[in-house]
Amino acid sequence: MSATATDPNLQHLTKARKQIAQGDLKNAALTLNKANAQWPQDPRVFMLGGLLAEKAGNVQGAFDAMRKSVSLAPDWGPGLLELAMLLARHNQFPEAIESAEKVAVLEPKNLQVLAGVIDIAHRAIHLEMAVRHLRRGLSLVHGDITLRRLLASDLSDLGQHAESLEIWDELVKEYPTDLESLAGRVKAYIAAGKPVCAKDSACTLLELAPNDRTYQYYSKLTNGETPDQQPVELTSKIFDNLAEFYDWRMVRGLKYQLPKQVSRLILDRHPDRKINVLDLGCGTGLLGVFLGRLDGSLMGVDPSTKMIEQAARHNVYDRFHTVNLHDALRETPDELYQVITALDVFIYAGDVKQAIPNVHRVLTPGGIMVLSFETALEQGPDMVLQSNGRYAHKRSHLQALCQSVGFASVKIEDIVLREENHQPVDGFIVIACKAV
């Protein structure tokens, strides 16, 4: 399928690809029509037609065109790779992985294919697959810094801390002022439960960027401190990167059912839907999906712009506020909402001592709040920062705090929040009602 000087379609295909990249879809379609007339069975025309259709919002048309391309040239790597990436972008991961593995076998030394296969593995949260192909990549491009950083990060996420730390140590030794390597080393030592061992890298990060709030946060951790919350710059970056496939990952991959359960609780209490709801940490809007349209208002708050973009697609939220939970509560007037939720949010937002009183203030008389937490041991501190970077809280602390600020009733239920590495993550929900 390589182009030659006598390729009858090369000029049209090059022009069409450029037009698609520039968003000039109408003229791209005209160019592809010319190419198709010249060579009706050219798989490249259908591949580019698939990219054009997807960009125009015609997802089914994109799949039809991509599959046609592959049917015309079943062993043509670029066509298979584009189909695999299209499948991954639309969360059809089993087939995406199958296609990606086939391309990798067909073109084992093609670095562009390698990059696509690794991207698909990461989207599918198939870290074992990613690690396998990253090792293959390093056998082709020895010492590549990007591949080594990705491999070290994936190994850390898989709990293979010794090899991960060895790679990060080598990277920092070779590139002592590389911010990504320094930060990666800090995160890996935190994940391994040895934050103090990365104190030197955290200090270097602060020397290089003294005003960076994420690096200030890392410095506190490596000095044995527990910051009150994660900096918004850190959480928003994490969730911006997850936004496209967050729903698939959480609901299908990690069996996350909390928004569905909480929506039932809210609608059982307010069957007429005449309520104002504040969804703190709304993410991609999973709670809104299960609540549906309200005869009131549904306000979504999240620091991640990309997550809010996903939530807006459901067309059930009335407004959004791109800010963290603590700032949102401080800026909200008194007695405005009948329901306030924060699901899987305090694992990043951390401290509840200011948030709970503000929630009470913002609720209308008789209003309820529903919050979820990961469980900390009762014998320890009120709040702990775990090696996975998430906060856990004591049940008794939440019970006492809710009662102290004036909630009329407080109910705490143990639940399984989600799965992680096929193991349940224990947590609890707090359902508190403000006095009438």
Side-chain angles (χ1 to χ4, degrees), residues 100-113:
E101 294 285 24
K102 184 176 180 180
V103 182
V105 171
L106 287 170
E107 302 201 24
K109 295 184 179 181
N110 185 322
L111 295 181
Q112 185 177 355
V113 167

Side-chain angles (χ1 to χ4, degrees), residues 3-18:
T4 68
T6 59
D7 186 335
N9 263 344
L10 179 59
Q11 183 177 354
H12 291 319
L13 295 170
T14 303
K15 183 178 180 181
R17 185 179 286 277
K18 183 178 180 180

Side-chain angles (χ1 to χ4, degrees), residues 139-276:
S139 72
L140 299 171
V141 191
H142 298 285
D144 183 85
I145 185 172
T146 300
L147 294 178
R148 290 163 72 193
R149 285 193 302 229
L150 287 170
L151 177 60
S153 178
D154 287 347
L155 288 169
S156 179
D157 289 342
L158 286 168
Q160 298 179 29
H161 298 300
E163 185 179 0
S164 171
L165 294 173
E166 183 180 348
I167 296 171
W168 285 122
D169 288 346
E170 290 173 354
L171 283 168
V172 169
K173 186 176 181 180
E174 292 174 37
Y175 306 97
T177 59
D178 176 54
L179 294 176
E180 284 193 51
S181 296
L182 288 162
R185 182 173 184 266
V186 172
K187 289 186 284 186
Y189 271 103
I190 292 169
K194 304 174 182 178
V196 67
C197 295
K199 188 174 180 178
D200 54 343
S201 290
C203 287
T204 304
L205 285 170
L206 274 183
E207 289 170 4
L208 295 170
N211 296 320
D212 189 293
R213 290 176 61 189
T214 297
Y215 298 160
Q216 292 168 4
Y217 172 78
Y218 289 154
S219 178
K220 289 180 180 179
L221 293 179
T222 59
N223 279 289
E225 301 175 41
T226 301
D228 285 344
Q229 60 179 293
Q230 284 193 1
V232 66
E233 293 86 353
L234 176 59
T235 52
S236 59
K237 182 178 180 181
I238 291 171
F239 286 102
D240 278 349
N241 292 333
L242 290 175
E244 274 189 68
F245 45 93
Y246 179 83
D247 289 359
W248 182 91
R249 175 179 184 177
M250 291 299 291
V251 177
R252 296 189 188 181
L254 305 183
K255 299 181 180 179
Y256 180 58
Q257 295 296 316
L258 196 54
K260 185 176 183 179
Q261 295 162 351
V262 171
S263 69
R264 288 174 181 167
L265 183 155
I266 294 169
L267 294 176
D268 284 347
R269 187 179 179 90
H270 298 279
D272 60 1
R273 298 175 176 268
K274 293 181 178 180
I275 48 172
N276 296 327

